[in-house]
Amino acid sequence: MPSAIRSASASSDGINGWRRTGNKIWVILSALFIYTVLELNTVLTDAQHWPDLDPHCLYFLPVGGTGEIGMNLNLYAYNGRFLLIDLGIMFGDEATPGVDVITPDIRALEPIADRIEALVLTHAHEDHLGALRYLWPKLKCPVYCTGFTARVAQRKLKEMSDKHAKAVKIKRVNAGDRVELGPFRVEWLHLTHSIPEPNGIVLDVADQRVFHTGDWKLDPNPVVGESYDAKRLEEIAAEGVDWMVCDSTNATTPGWSGSESEAARKLAEVLANRPGRLAVTCFASNVARVSSLGSLAPGLKRRVSILGRSMHEMTQAAKIEGYLPDFPSIVPASDLGYLPRDEQMILCTGSQGEPRAALSKLASDTHPDLHLEAGDTVVFSSKMIPGNEKSIGRMRNQFAVRNIDVLDGEALGIHVSGHPCVEELKWMYQTIAPRHALPVHGEGRHLKANADIARGCGVNALEIRNGDLVNLSHAQVVGKVYTGRCGVVGNSLIPTTSAALRERNKVKMGGSVTATVVIDGNGKLLAPPGIRLLGVADPATEEATGASLMRSMTTAIEALGPNSLKDDAAVQDAAEHALKKASYRKLGLRPVCQVMVARLG
Ligand SMILES: [Zn+2]
């Protein structure tokens, strides 16, 4: 009995001991797990690393738009709090096949997202607010802007989903309003541009005052809305401005950008006494131009129709916000056929040759509601944006062969730019007299030209690029923060440097070859490999080309030694290498080659 009791007792101690040890292990494992999770959540990637920030200094960081046209995103930082100005997109080109829209890469903002006081929008152009729908879910901060910009932003969010439109809290302000956002005092200052309600931002933080211009020009008669607030510009100058962060887009263009009212006067001359239909294209967001054309139409005895969703939406937003009060009633495109040709004025999107826009469809005669005929006139009330020469040239050729006249906006003076040219920049630097200038929004040559203009006006200018962190309190660049671009691909944002987009480019350049190899346990081919060519050969020669590539691949596999033949990766490497080599030798191409190996038995 005693021994049995001891034994039982020993056994009981053993179980309890194991339980105690087990509990300890469990506690240690749990602690390790929690530590690992916390650590993973706090470890920052290289893209999220920030230099140390002095809490007593104000910082500026261009995340997008400085060194490029488009995709504007600027950040101010003070005492651990952050403010964003604008959140724009740019459009893809041949270097990003299949990617229409590009946003800033905001990985660096993710660790500070919960300390962003607000996103302030200067105006409603895509390159200043177009990324809201893609990037706001990562930021989740309040958005502040004036009424027209808010309405356009809401429409764009709604295009994505009702959920998006409801989630983003947009707070409306008026020009002249001042709002305290954490340590940032923000004032909206009305300027002129090529869209209603363009605003500069006057930012007061601690002892620094920044005038962040946004996009602007000096237009004494902008047709839609008031002229720029010269009185307030003089007031802030008298109070003293430390930094002017300034639009550089037109800094290489001499003179003045010209008034929208002057473009309207020229349009009246150019459009008078023309036979047939008038199809006029301009930027959809240029509400003033649309207004001028609407005002001219009755005098020309023409009715107005609008082709293109974006122009319809901008016009609608402008009407709701109280602009375009006298705009004539719009004839639905489907009713144009009931009007005589010389009573039609058609305003349409697509001045840059965008393939899905209305003007491209009119050029290729594939528009469902309108067929232009010989003797009609197409008017470009726009400028050609560099890079679009080919697509615009293609449309002009299509109109020319059908004897449809084309009038060029730049040559005829029926377009004016919305950005400040050299003399306007000089005027602003001389009026504001900032201590320092930071040129933004432009490519390298624009930024440099703007900096030179500032220096010519006696203003110290810093030339920076995206990612340069500027200590505004000490007037120096103090480090780099990661910036980049993301392509909108389906529902995902993919960095434009990602292998996924590099692969697309490779396929675009050389096509692709995909093969399937079925082998037994010893690597012996059990059937002839299957092969599929995409964009590599003309259909007439595709079968012969495929057979030739397949022979090269088969020879390479059969030449492998017994050990390699038992290794799937070795078989795959040899087959892909053979395909690449044979493609280059036989076709002079470097297609993307992929081989799938299936081993049976
Ligand atoms: Zn703009």
Side-chain angles (χ1 to χ4, degrees):
M1 278 294 286
S3 72
I5 291 167
R6 273 198 305 276
S7 170
S9 170
S11 170
S12 171
D13 275 358
I15 289 167
N16 288 336
W18 181 87
R19 278 189 183 137
R20 279 196 296 274
T21 310
N23 284 344
K24 272 185 200 163
I25 291 170
W26 180 241
V27 167
I28 290 167
L29 283 176
S30 301
L32 268 174
F33 175 75
I34 291 165
Y35 171 79
T36 307
V37 168
L38 288 175
E39 188 66 6
L40 280 176
N41 280 338
T42 52
V43 166
L44 302 180
T45 64
D46 285 348
Q48 294 174 321
H49 176 76
W50 284 72
D52 289 336
L53 303 183
D54 181 339
H56 305 295
C57 292
L58 175 65
Y59 293 86
F60 173 74
L61 174 75
V63 183
T66 300
E68 63 207 348
I69 300 272
M71 215 180 75
N72 292 284
L73 170 53
N74 298 290
L75 174 142
Y76 290 88
Y78 180 75
N79 196 20
R81 308 302 295 177
F82 300 87
L83 183 83
L84 300 179
I85 296 187
D86 290 333
L87 191 59
I89 56 164
M90 65 196 302
F91 296 103
D93 56 23
E94 316 85 61
T96 53
V99 177
D100 292 335
V101 173
I102 293 174
T103 75
D105 184 340
I106 60 163
R107 273 177 280 176
L109 305 193
E110 286 169 9
I112 59 155
D114 60 343
R115 284 168 281 155
I116 296 173
E117 296 286 352
L119 164 64
V120 169
L121 301 175
T122 57
H123 66 289
H125 275 147
E126 287 278 19
D127 58 337
H128 291 259
L129 62 62
L132 190 60
R133 66 193 115 166
Y134 307 110
L135 300 182
W136 186 86
K138 293 173 189 283
L139 301 169
K140 294 193 168 66
C141 57
V143 179
Y144 286 78
C145 56
T146 56
F148 177 77
T149 305
R151 189 159 297 280
V152 173
Q154 276 294 347
R155 280 176 179 257
K156 290 187 182 301
L157 289 165
K158 228 173 158 59
E159 272 172 28
M160 200 142 184
S161 73
D162 282 345
K163 193 173 131 214
H164 266 76
K166 278 188 191 138
V168 184
K169 298 288 172 244
I170 299 183
K171 307 195 178 190
R172 285 178 171 231
V173 294
N174 295 310
D177 283 358
R178 290 165 202 173
V179 180
E180 305 279 342
L181 299 168
F184 307 97
R185 195 181 78 151
V186 180
E187 174 185 341
W188 281 258
L189 194 160
H190 178 72
L191 295 171
T192 41
H193 181 36
S194 50
I195 194 167
E197 300 180 11
N199 289 286
I201 302 297
V202 182
L203 195 61
D204 287 302
V205 192
D207 60 347
Q208 295 284 313
R209 167 167 279 185
V210 180
F211 176 40
H212 185 110
T213 67
D215 289 357
W216 64 279
K217 67 184 283 185
L218 297 176
D219 192 339
N221 186 358
V223 176
V224 164
E226 302 288 317
S227 183
Y228 55 95
D229 190 345
K231 180 168 167 285
R232 185 62 188 139
L233 285 172
E234 282 163 17
E235 282 171 7
I236 64 164
E239 291 159 8
V241 172
D242 297 295
W243 289 88
M244 190 166 122
V245 178
C246 182
D247 177 4
S248 307
T249 315
N250 268 352
T252 55
T253 309
W256 299 77
S257 58
S259 171
E260 191 59 42
S261 56
E262 184 60 18
R265 196 181 63 76
K266 285 271 169 59
L267 268 172
E269 286 173 16
V270 167
L271 301 185
N273 304 317
R274 297 204 72 90
R277 299 178 183 89
L278 284 176
V280 188
T281 183
C282 65
F283 296 110
S285 58
N286 195 331
V287 175
R289 196 70 48 81
V290 170
S291 170
S292 298
L293 289 161
S295 301
L296 287 172
L300 299 170
K301 302 209 166 16
R302 291 179 187 266
R303 303 280 308 280
V304 173
S305 184
I306 290 180
L307 303 185
R309 188 169 54 92
S310 55
M311 193 180 281
H312 267 294
E313 294 200 340
M314 277 289 177
T315 308
Q316 194 60 22
K319 281 184 172 179
I320 295 170
E321 290 298 320
Y323 301 103
L324 304 176
D326 303 319
F327 199 78
S329 63
I330 297 170
V331 177
S334 54
D335 289 353
L336 279 170
Y338 299 113
L339 284 176
R341 286 169 64 192
D342 59 1
E343 290 183 18
Q344 299 178 26
M345 179 192 280
I346 302 110
L347 313 186
C348 50
T349 56
S351 65
Q352 301 307 308
E354 301 91 328
R356 291 191 286 271
L359 194 64
S360 275
K361 290 178 185 165
L362 293 178
S364 58
D365 206 12
T366 54
H367 196 283
D369 295 315
L370 181 62
H371 160 70
L372 293 182
E373 298 166 83
D376 291 342
T377 303
V378 171
V379 183
F380 283 82
S381 184
S382 56
K383 74 165 192 176
M384 186 191 295
I385 293 175
N388 296 332
E389 294 84 353
K390 274 190 188 167
S391 47
I392 294 174
R394 187 180 59 243
M395 290 194 304
R396 294 183 68 142
N397 288 335
Q398 288 170 316
F399 288 128
V401 296
R402 289 160 55 202
N403 292 319
I404 295 164
D405 289 341
V406 174
L407 302 181
D408 184 338
E410 282 178 284
L412 294 167
I414 52 176
H415 174 71
V416 292
S417 168
H419 297 273
C421 296
V422 172
E423 295 306 319
E424 287 156 291
L425 287 164
K426 281 185 191 167
W427 183 94
M428 193 63 96
Y429 283 123
Q430 284 161 359
T431 301
I432 298 294
R435 289 169 58 218
H436 310 282
L438 268 180
V440 295
H441 195 0
E443 295 176 355
R445 65 185 189 283
H446 306 119
L447 301 173
K448 174 149 187 37
N450 193 352
D452 287 343
I453 293 165
R455 290 178 191 125
C457 296
V459 178
N460 173 51
L462 281 188
E463 287 178 53
I464 56 168
R465 296 290 183 275
N466 287 341
D468 286 338
L469 182 68
V470 187
N471 181 328
L472 298 180
S473 305
H474 294 165
Q476 60 182 9
V477 176
V478 291
K480 277 299 251 190
V481 175
Y482 173 81
T483 57
R485 298 175 178 180
C486 283
V488 177
V489 180
N491 295 329
S492 307
L493 287 172
I494 297 181
T496 51
T497 51
S498 137
L501 294 186
R502 282 204 305 275
E503 290 295 319
R504 277 185 184 217
N505 255 327
K506 283 189 200 163
V507 172
K508 182 184 150 202
M509 297 304 292
S512 77
V513 177
T514 311
T516 310
V517 173
V518 183
I519 50 179
D520 68 10
N522 294 318
K524 185 169 178 297
L525 284 164
L526 293 175
I531 197 158
R532 172 97 170 88
L533 312 185
L534 201 63
V536 170
D538 185 83
T541 59
E542 192 171 296
E543 196 175 333
T545 306
S548 167
L549 295 178
M550 195 168 72
R551 279 195 296 278
S552 300
M553 185 175 69
T554 307
T555 306
I557 294 171
E558 288 172 349
L560 288 172
N563 287 340
S564 297
L565 282 169
K566 287 178 182 164
D567 179 350
D568 288 358
V571 173
Q572 185 184 24
D573 281 352
E576 286 183 354
H577 181 69
L579 279 180
K580 283 178 192 167
K581 208 168 144 190
S583 299
Y584 189 67
R585 196 177 66 243
K586 295 174 200 292
L587 306 166
L589 281 179
R590 296 186 196 279
V592 171
C593 296
Q594 287 184 304
V595 175
M596 259 99 30
V597 176
R599 191 181 292 274
L600 303 179

